[in-house]
Amino acid sequence: MSSVAAAVSPSTLSATRPFPGLRPYEESDSDWFFGRSSEINELLKRLRRVRFVAIVGPSGCGKSSLIKAGVLPSVRDGYLDSSWSIATFRPGEQPLDNLAHAVSSAISADSEGVRKLLDTGSMGLIKAIQTKQLASGSKLLILADQFEELFQFAQRHGDRSQEEVKAFLKLLLSAASSDDIPLYLVLTMRMEWLSECATYVGLAEAINEGIYLVPQMSRRQFQQVILNPIDKANGA
């Protein structure tokens, strides 16, 4: 099963279930997500300045929750003064297929048509987005969650996977740096995979410009994470 198909939204949090357990917070859980307001504000500021942001940190630090339940709802609510379409996916075992599926869903395009355009070269993603013109003033944000899956895919499949990995990276980096489309790229990645980025042309340079290292939570933030959902549930 592809990572896109596997990413079915879990049960939404509520007064009877105010915590997600071991899974990350999803965008639908934003009302129950507390403790990261300063980090959310910093990431929103970054997205005003740059079009590529790499959210990096150790496993379990809340990278996916921060972007999904913190930043994305704020983007949709207009904190960046624009109308946004958002494509969220994980590279998984089929990076190009999963990218095509996510983008086609976000811009209401034909998935097979988008996938074919991705095979035309480094401009393929740009062409795919241009075929479905976004409304005037609107922008597209692509979230590649758990980006280290791309490197894991390369390690599992060896040389035969390298062409797909390189093509995948060229598509994303070309689109994020193009003046022809209003595309923003955000990825989340475990810190121990950061060194892998240096082995691919252009990726290390992009990450150096847009890296955001998720800080460790303070005692006060931990209290907010635990107590605020309980207070909200009791008041519901």
Side-chain angles (χ1 to χ4, degrees), residues 117-151:
L117 284 171
L118 296 187
D119 284 333
T120 62
S122 61
M123 301 292 287
L125 181 55
I126 296 173
K127 294 177 184 177
I129 295 167
Q130 287 176 326
T131 60
K132 195 77 175 182
Q133 290 187 348
L134 300 174
S136 178
S138 65
K139 299 175 181 178
L140 173 64
L141 187 151
I142 296 180
L143 168 61
D145 193 27
Q146 299 190 34
F147 197 73
E148 66 273 3
E149 288 185 351
L150 184 69
F151 306 130

Side-chain angles (χ1 to χ4, degrees), residues 132-183:
K132 195 77 175 182
Q133 290 187 348
L134 300 174
S136 178
S138 65
K139 299 175 181 178
L140 173 64
L141 187 151
I142 296 180
L143 168 61
D145 193 27
Q146 299 190 34
F147 197 73
E148 66 273 3
E149 288 185 351
L150 184 69
F151 306 130
Q152 294 166 348
F153 166 73
Q155 289 183 354
R156 280 193 295 270
H157 300 285
D159 292 342
R160 67 187 181 90
S161 68
Q162 284 303 312
E163 290 307 311
E164 180 168 356
V165 171
K166 290 177 182 177
F168 176 85
L169 290 172
K170 286 179 181 178
L171 288 164
L172 290 179
L173 294 173
S174 296
S177 62
S178 173
D179 293 329
D180 296 327
I181 54 170
L183 181 140

Side-chain angles (χ1 to χ4, degrees), residues 19 65 73 87 92 158:
F19 297 103
S65 298

Side-chain angles (χ1 to χ4, degrees), residues 28-226:
S28 59
D29 303 323
S30 60
D31 288 344
W32 300 88
F33 183 68
F34 297 97
R36 287 291 196 182
S37 58
S38 60
E39 288 84 356
I40 293 170
N41 289 334
E42 177 57 32
L43 283 167
L44 290 171
K45 289 178 183 177
R46 298 232 178 163
L47 285 171
R48 287 187 182 276
R49 301 194 307 266
V50 298
R51 292 170 51 190
F52 179 100
V53 176
I55 302 173
V56 178
S59 178
C61 74
K63 299 178 294 295
S64 296
S65 298
L66 173 59
I67 183 66
K68 288 183 178 180
V71 176
L72 295 190
S74 298
V75 168
R76 290 193 193 275
D77 287 343
Y79 278 78
L80 295 179
D81 305 323
S82 187
S83 173
W84 290 78
S85 297
I86 298 175
T88 299
F89 76 106
R90 288 166 50 182
E93 284 292 296
Q94 298 172 312
L96 290 173
D97 288 349
N98 292 339
L99 172 61
H101 182 82
V103 170
S104 62
S105 297
I107 65 176
S108 301
D110 174 63
S111 184
E112 284 189 19
V114 171
R115 181 64 183 85
K116 289 178 181 177
L117 284 171
L118 296 187
D119 284 333
T120 62
S122 61
M123 301 292 287
L125 181 55
I126 296 173
K127 294 177 184 177
I129 295 167
Q130 287 176 326
T131 60
K132 195 77 175 182
Q133 290 187 348
L134 300 174
S136 178
S138 65
K139 299 175 181 178
L140 173 64
L141 187 151
I142 296 180
L143 168 61
D145 193 27
Q146 299 190 34
F147 197 73
E148 66 273 3
E149 288 185 351
L150 184 69
F151 306 130
Q152 294 166 348
F153 166 73
Q155 289 183 354
R156 280 193 295 270
H157 300 285
D159 292 342
R160 67 187 181 90
S161 68
Q162 284 303 312
E163 290 307 311
E164 180 168 356
V165 171
K166 290 177 182 177
F168 176 85
L169 290 172
K170 286 179 181 178
L171 288 164
L172 290 179
L173 294 173
S174 296
S177 62
S178 173
D179 293 329
D180 296 327
I181 54 170
L183 181 140
Y184 290 67
L185 174 62
V186 178
L187 61 87
T188 68
M189 182 171 60
R190 297 208 314 257
M191 187 183 299
E192 59 265 33
W193 291 92
L194 197 55
S195 61
E196 287 292 319
C197 300
T199 64
Y200 294 95
V201 175
L203 182 57
E205 292 84 351
I207 287 181
N208 283 340
E209 290 186 12
I211 191 168
Y212 178 80
L213 183 60
V214 179
Q216 184 176 0
M217 278 190 174
S218 66
R219 181 185 180 94
R220 181 171 178 274
Q221 286 176 309
F222 273 118
Q223 289 175 334
Q224 291 173 340
V225 169
I226 297 169

